[in-house]
Amino acid sequence: MLLQTGRSYRTLSFVLFCLAVTALAQTPNKFPYGEKDMQFNAKPVERDIDRKCVPEGTGSDEGQRAQNRSKNRFDAQGTPIPILISDFDSLEKATVRARNCWAKHLANCKMIELNKVSGLPANRDQLKDIAKTASGQTIGEGTLVVFEAQVLDSHYSNTKYNIYFNNHAPSPGDGESVNCKKLPGFDSSAIDSNDIHIVLVAPGVTDDCMSVTAEISPHFRPASWRRFHDMGVNQLGQDVNSEAKGVDFKKLQLVRITGPLFYDASHEPCSPGKRSSPARRSLWEIHPAYKLEVKSKGQWMSFDDWAKTQ
């Protein structure tokens, strides 16, 4: 009788285990894109954030949620438009004019209305087709572009390795709303839950106020792309390289980044006599990156291939 009871218990446990595994496998991911949707030039890798985090993240109002959804666009299509660093200035000037148009109730001008709670654009469609490149092509939020520059700096943002000082006390990062900061049961401080912030400049430039920004999203980030940083040991002696070994960008002549344009209204650009944080010349970014290429010894190749030699 005891033997039979033991067998029944083991059988029941096995059945319950199988049902749990089946239920888990059938639970749909909350992120609407999958590995097959990624236009990366390296193999996508699914992680916890791809299963648990929705496109709007944990934004607190519609302005923030709309901006987060724009950060999480992986469906931009078409032939990438080559852009110059001066085109980011054109985008910035056009956006300032459009924001002023709304704020001052002007007529006969393109308008960008801001959400009263967050101060972010209330309607992201107003950011489409807002400027023209030096070559005359129309660009705006969601336009797929390709940009060549040098990397001045590249680092993970808002992770446990990023130390911020509040009232002179060191405090580690705990994520961003776009990547589901403070979502229950989710580690929003991990490097695989956060963006990589890339500071891009024209060759020879060393002032980050003259830079533009690109971001590598954590969603389906290829294994090699985790290394697209040059961070060192932080103020508490912790080293991100123990998880994802960075690279020396001085070994590269240029990088080439492909992805959709995005307007990050959560920040401000540098202005005469005033540096912003993070410093940049324009609030327009390439976000998220779809392709990473590097130029080494006169040859272009994928970052994925180059990283294998480092």
Side-chain angles (χ1 to χ4, degrees):
M1 185 66 178
L2 289 175
L3 180 60
Q4 181 63 35
T5 301
R7 286 176 178 173
S8 299
Y9 177 78
R10 288 195 295 272
T11 300
L12 178 61
S13 297
F14 179 74
V15 170
L16 290 175
F17 172 77
C18 290
L19 289 173
V21 170
T22 301
L24 182 62
Q26 293 176 344
T27 302
N29 287 357
K30 294 185 177 181
F31 199 64
Y33 304 102
E35 291 183 46
K36 60 180 177 55
D37 300 309
M38 300 298 107
Q39 304 177 50
F40 301 153
N41 57 343
K43 180 178 173 53
V45 177
E46 183 179 313
R47 299 188 178 87
D48 202 31
I49 190 171
D50 305 307
R51 293 181 282 271
K52 296 182 177 179
C53 192
V54 294
E56 55 267 29
T58 49
S60 58
D61 64 86
E62 184 50 38
Q64 184 69 66
R65 290 190 288 269
Q67 177 162 287
N68 288 347
R69 286 191 292 269
S70 291
K71 288 183 178 183
N72 280 320
R73 281 204 61 181
F74 288 93
D75 59 355
Q77 300 292 327
T79 302
I81 295 175
I83 60 171
L84 305 173
I85 203 162
S86 59
D87 293 326
F88 285 90
D89 298 334
S90 298
L91 285 162
E92 186 66 30
K93 291 175 183 177
T95 313
V96 170
R97 288 195 298 268
R99 289 175 62 164
N100 286 338
C101 177
W102 170 74
K104 297 178 180 180
H105 307 287
L106 303 176
N108 301 318
C109 54
K110 190 172 180 65
M111 180 180 71
I112 295 179
E113 179 182 357
L114 302 182
N115 182 276
K116 293 181 181 179
V117 178
S118 62
L120 304 175
N123 179 0
R124 306 301 293 195
D125 286 342
Q126 296 173 114
L127 295 161
K128 295 179 180 178
D129 303 333
I130 198 169
K132 289 186 180 294
T133 66
S135 61
Q137 293 176 287
T138 302
I139 55 175
E141 188 162 276
T143 303
L144 192 62
V145 299
V146 57
F147 179 57
E148 296 180 13
Q150 285 185 337
V151 176
L152 183 62
D153 171 62
S154 185
H155 58 270
Y156 283 92
S157 297
N158 304 97
T159 74
K160 60 186 177 182
Y161 293 102
N162 300 97
I163 305 301
Y164 306 96
F165 288 86
N166 299 317
N167 297 322
H168 305 291
S171 175
D174 59 355
E176 290 185 274
S177 72
V178 65
N179 298 320
C180 290
K181 176 180 179 179
K182 296 183 179 179
L183 179 71
F186 175 67
D187 184 3
S188 62
S189 70
I191 64 170
D192 287 331
S193 302
N194 286 281
D195 295 340
I196 296 177
H197 181 101
I198 310 167
V199 181
L200 299 165
V201 293
V205 172
T206 58
D207 182 1
D208 50 4
C209 267
M210 299 300 292
S211 72
V212 295
T213 300
E215 304 263 0
I216 302 174
S217 169
H219 283 290
F220 293 99
R221 185 158 54 209
S224 62
W225 290 17
R226 298 170 81 242
R227 300 186 57 200
F228 201 95
H229 73 89
D230 54 3
M231 292 176 70
V233 178
N234 68 14
Q235 298 95 322
L236 301 182
Q238 301 164 324
D239 190 1
V240 69
N241 291 281
S242 63
E243 289 195 55
K245 181 183 177 183
V247 297
D248 182 1
F249 289 105
K250 293 184 176 64
K251 294 181 179 180
L252 298 172
Q253 296 164 277
L254 293 169
V255 298
R256 185 161 62 194
I257 299 180
T258 302
L261 286 170
F262 162 74
Y263 180 66
D264 191 347
S266 296
H267 302 289
E268 290 296 331
C270 293
S271 57
K274 182 180 179 182
R275 297 183 67 84
S276 60
S277 180
R280 57 182 69 190
R281 67 194 291 159
S282 171
L283 298 185
W284 285 87
E285 306 176 354
I286 297 177
H287 191 154
Y290 287 4
K291 293 183 179 180
L292 298 179
E293 299 170 282
V294 298
K295 192 174 188 179
S296 177
K297 300 177 181 178
Q299 299 293 321
W300 284 105
M301 67 180 73
S302 71
F303 176 76
D304 186 62
D305 288 337
W306 181 78
K308 293 173 183 175
T309 68
Q310 304 304 303

